[in-house]
Amino acid sequence: MTARFPFSAVVGHEDLRLALLLNAVHPAIGGVLVRGEKGTAKSTVVRALAALLPPLEVVAGCRFGCDPAAEDPGCPDGPHAAASAERRAARLVELPVGATEDRLVGSLDLERALTEGVRAYQPGLLAAAHRGVLYVDEVNLLHDHLVDLLLDAAAMGRAHVEREGVSVSHAASFLLVGTMNPEEGELRPQLLDRFGLTVAVRAARDVPTRAEVIRRRLAYEADPAGFASGWTEADEELAARIATARAALPSVLLPDAELRRIAAICAAFEVDGMRADLVVARAAVAHAAWRGADAVTEDDVEVAVRLALPHRRRRDPFDEPGVEEEQLQDALRQGAEHAEEPGGDTDPDDDPDGPDDPDGPDGSGGPDDRNGQDDGQPASGQGTSDQPDADSSGSGSAERPPAAPAPAFRARLLQVPGVGDGAPGRRSRSRARTGRVVRPSTVDGSGLHLVGTMAAAAPHQSARGRSGPGLLLRGDDLRLAVREGKEGNLVLFVVDTSGSMAARQRMSAVSGAVLSLLRDAYQRRDKVGVVTFRGSAAEVALPPTSSVDTAAARLRRLRTGGRTPLADGLLRTRRLLATERLRDPRRRPLVVVLTDGRATASAAGGDPVAEALRAADLLAADGVATVVVDCEHGPVRLGLAGRLAGALAAACLRLEELSADQVAGVVRAARAA
């Protein structure tokens, strides 16, 4: 077996190494999320951690790693009466992105079921990771149903298995470490909050550091064992320091002043819930133990805050992660004031969220009440002038700077009709290969439905002459598992940025609506793209990507003005979909066209309206699910967007109808399946 790259030999990444070491000292911190660009040694550092963890005392023969000093009374392998103990290294268990539910939580022992005819439980990765490290590479790409199981186990410290006639509960307390590349999409908020600490890693930009990274990596590849042996002493010193800090951890004092400081800082950052406060407190205690101190100080709290709060201060999926230094220093100053005063009480008049503050959340002058509108409503044209349409006045050729997006809102669900077979997500119905098993079938399905197969074979055992243990199976006994789930789609936004949309600042409302739909796509794990059309042609403002925050950034920079090449926008969309169909044929597209329906520019010099309708017919013939959002404004409406929707065989919604708070129910896009 090739020796792992030594932890001590890693160049740089001080915050990452410290976060991992603090979790090794105090596993109750809750793990580490490592965010970073590709090629920054994220996985290398995490895998090197296992060699530093203190060895474990386990009950001999127990598949669940029970501690002899504190046995799990509910262990499936118990009771462990007079069991002997053995010593083994702590495990680092890797959960691959493509893992199945059976592999994660365990399942019926197939070999024993078929040979002995008994129901026996085969443990999964959660059992193997107990009292060790569970490492998830590319954690942001993990399937949703696996994320749910992982969350339950991480929160409760136990795994509960109810499947295939097996009912088992076992301890599953582990250090959760995940790595991710933000360019490939963000994490679900529920999983993000479960990680105690987060670290952003980037490749060094200075030449000496980069040269040293190359030097050590080449030396390791040339002689892995020899290179690792050169760092054995340094790793052993770190391991001994971890063991010493663990032993000292219970005696480290958290003074009441520092506890108030932690509470004040977390309150200043307005983090949700109390998990952040607890994580900061545990990390501060661990850092004090790591330093060899007997009490937590302000420096320990600051280190803990820098590691525990960056991923918890995001109020929106499109907020930049991290903590601004000025904001951190302000919070630390507030914390210092509370630490100096017992009780940490403040004057109600100094509380920005107090009841006397007219701009507070209960007042009528808060930021969400600007323009007299609720945050749950799309701001489609409020507070705008009635200037003439830029296209019709002939002034539409002037380019306008980007309009500030209107406040976002909770978008209603747009779905692709029918049942797909695409990437796991949370939007449209799917015949999932890794979803929840709903029934056995002899016709369709994926994988063997074991219980259904055994049930089909059981009544025929006597007729088949069975005389011993095990089952006699035939081909017609086999049953396949039918699974149901949700899939993520390719949501392609086709946005009219011409002069007619810029008139009356309609683009502000449209931008707010698209940002709301992008947030919905982020939550449903979709792939997104943006096509815009203005002037004389359309362009792909954002090629399809899983990084929804990148789409939001591009959208905020869109400029408007010029004529309306609607036909070219639809044809460009059709070509882009054809390319994506070759790249990912199973991911079904959903096209959302935001326009007032006016077509004023023709690439061929003909009738722009007729060309737009012919382009719509071509897109409809491809069977693409489409929703047209009518952005026309004013008391007199021409209904051109509705005509376009008819040619596309698409649902047509008014801009304000995108709000889930205004319109109840679910919108199913386009035609019947």
Side-chain angles (χ1 to χ4, degrees):
M1 181 178 178
T2 303
R4 283 178 174 165
F5 195 91
F7 190 90
S8 303
V10 174
V11 179
H13 295 331
E14 285 80 7
D15 286 347
L16 171 57
R17 290 191 291 170
L18 178 60
L20 292 172
L21 291 170
L22 293 182
N23 272 273
V25 171
H26 195 356
I29 289 174
V32 184
L33 173 64
V34 188
R35 302 166 52 94
E37 57 196 17
K38 51 187 176 292
T40 50
K42 302 185 295 293
S43 300
T44 299
V45 181
V46 174
R47 292 189 177 104
L49 175 68
L52 305 182
L53 299 179
L56 303 175
E57 293 286 338
V58 298
V59 174
C62 178
R63 298 174 297 168
F64 301 87
C66 280
D67 185 351
E71 294 182 16
D72 176 16
C75 177
D77 283 357
H80 305 295
S84 60
E86 62 181 10
R87 194 176 181 86
R88 64 165 172 82
R91 293 172 177 164
L92 183 138
V93 177
E94 297 193 32
L95 175 61
V97 171
T100 63
E101 184 177 342
D102 292 350
R103 189 70 187 97
L104 179 63
V105 301
S107 63
L108 190 67
D109 190 324
L110 181 60
E111 181 178 355
R112 293 191 62 188
L114 294 179
T115 58
E116 302 177 24
V118 299
R119 291 177 177 175
Y121 174 65
Q122 179 66 40
L125 295 178
L126 291 180
H130 179 49
R131 303 176 66 198
V133 180
L134 181 60
Y135 170 47
V136 188
D137 194 14
E138 304 293 353
V139 63
N140 51 324
L141 303 181
L142 196 64
H143 294 176
D144 266 7
H145 68 288
L146 296 183
V147 171
D148 294 334
L149 294 171
L150 192 59
L151 287 178
D152 290 341
M156 298 183 294
R158 297 193 69 82
H160 298 276
V161 184
E162 298 284 347
R163 54 181 299 138
E164 297 171 344
V166 174
S167 178
V168 172
S169 174
H170 65 82
S173 177
F174 47 81
L175 167 59
L176 181 61
V177 181
T179 60
M180 61 173 285
N181 183 348
E183 295 178 357
E184 296 175 338
E186 285 290 347
L187 275 174
R188 289 172 54 191
Q190 296 93 330
L191 182 57
L192 188 64
D193 187 54
R194 295 295 186 187
F195 286 97
L197 310 180
T198 186
V199 179
V201 296
R202 297 176 180 84
R205 297 295 183 252
D206 62 293
V207 174
T209 301
R210 296 177 74 96
E212 184 61 21
V213 170
I214 298 171
R215 189 178 297 114
R216 293 189 185 182
R217 186 67 198 185
L218 292 177
Y220 169 75
E221 292 175 355
D223 182 10
F227 181 84
S229 64
W231 294 90
T232 300
E233 184 176 350
D235 271 7
E236 288 178 349
E237 290 178 0
L238 278 178
R241 188 175 175 186
I242 290 173
T244 300
R246 273 192 178 185
L249 191 68
S251 62
V252 174
L253 175 66
L254 177 60
D256 194 63
E258 298 308 317
L259 192 150
R260 292 197 304 272
R261 187 193 308 275
I262 292 170
I265 292 172
C266 292
F269 276 100
E270 298 182 348
V271 296
D272 293 332
M274 295 297 297
R275 182 175 285 115
D277 304 61
L278 294 170
V279 170
V280 172
R282 291 165 182 159
V285 171
H287 190 261
W290 178 251
R291 293 189 299 111
D294 55 6
V296 173
T297 66
E298 181 180 359
D299 291 339
D300 299 315
V301 173
E302 182 173 350
V303 169
V305 166
R306 290 182 182 275
L307 295 174
L309 294 189
H311 60 303
R312 291 187 167 90
R313 63 170 293 273
R314 302 183 73 182
R315 314 301 298 178
D316 188 275
F318 306 132
D319 290 343
E320 288 293 328
V323 175
E324 296 179 1
E325 188 62 29
E326 183 178 354
Q327 183 184 17
L328 174 62
Q329 294 304 324
D330 288 343
L332 290 174
R333 281 192 290 272
Q334 292 183 39
E337 295 173 1
H338 284 262
E340 293 170 1
E341 299 179 8
D345 294 328
T346 57
D347 190 329
D349 293 335
D350 295 332
D351 183 3
D353 294 327
D356 296 331
D357 182 11
D359 292 331
D362 296 326
S364 59
D368 289 337
D369 289 316
R370 290 190 300 270
N371 301 327
Q373 66 184 33
D374 186 279
D375 185 51
Q377 308 290 339
S380 53
Q382 291 195 19
T384 59
S385 63
D386 291 330
Q387 63 195 35
D389 190 308
D391 275 347
S392 60
S393 67
S395 61
S397 60
E399 186 177 272
R400 294 173 173 81
F409 52 88
R410 186 169 66 93
R412 64 191 294 178
L413 174 60
L414 304 176
Q415 285 182 295
V416 177
V419 180
D421 192 22
R426 302 181 63 200
R427 183 172 297 279
S428 305
R429 291 178 59 205
S430 171
R431 289 180 293 268
R433 295 181 181 274
T434 55
R436 190 174 302 278
V437 177
V438 292
R439 68 179 186 278
S441 172
T442 59
V443 180
D444 56 356
S446 59
L448 179 68
H449 193 290
L450 183 58
V451 173
T453 299
M454 297 174 65
H460 308 292
Q461 296 304 295
S462 298
R464 294 174 185 175
R466 173 184 167 185
S467 58
L471 290 176
L472 296 178
L473 300 178
R474 291 181 179 174
D476 55 1
D477 295 331
L478 296 180
R479 298 293 185 270
L480 300 177
V482 177
R483 303 172 185 267
E484 285 187 2
K486 292 283 189 179
E487 66 175 1
N489 300 122
L490 166 59
V491 182
L492 190 59
F493 297 99
V494 184
V495 186
D496 184 348
T497 58
S498 64
S500 67
M501 294 292 291
R504 297 180 293 272
Q505 298 183 4
R506 250 177 289 165
M507 201 60 207
S508 173
V510 171
S511 298
V514 177
L515 284 174
S516 302
L517 293 170
L518 281 173
R519 181 184 291 107
D520 183 67
Y522 159 81
Q523 294 168 344
R524 301 185 190 281
R525 301 183 68 180
D526 293 316
K527 199 174 182 180
V528 297
V530 179
V531 173
T532 63
F533 55 95
R534 57 178 291 272
S536 60
E539 66 173 344
V540 179
L542 178 73
T545 176
S546 296
S547 182
V548 181
D549 51 350
T550 301
R554 296 281 182 93
L555 182 73
R556 291 188 177 101
R557 295 198 296 266
L558 291 181
R559 305 184 75 83
T560 62
R563 304 186 72 79
T564 311
L566 178 56
D568 195 60
L570 297 177
L571 293 175
R572 187 70 185 87
T573 299
R574 185 169 180 255
R575 292 195 298 270
L576 180 60
L577 290 176
T579 301
E580 287 301 309
R581 198 173 294 117
L582 294 175
R583 292 177 177 171
D584 191 355
R586 293 195 302 129
R587 189 184 288 269
R588 297 188 296 162
L590 172 64
V591 175
V592 182
V593 184
L594 295 100
T595 181
D596 57 9
R598 302 188 184 189
T600 60
S602 167
D607 181 359
V609 175
E611 289 182 5
L613 295 178
R614 284 197 295 270
D617 289 338
L618 292 174
L619 192 58
D622 291 340
V624 178
T626 309
V627 174
V628 175
V629 180
D630 185 0
C631 302
E632 194 172 21
H633 175 81
V636 178
R637 300 175 184 267
L638 301 179
L640 299 177
R643 186 178 175 188
L644 175 66
L648 288 167
C652 186
L653 305 176
R654 295 274 295 278
L655 188 60
E656 56 269 22
E657 291 176 342
L658 288 176
S659 170
D661 296 330
Q662 276 198 2
V663 182
V666 173
V667 176
R668 296 195 177 276
R671 304 182 295 262

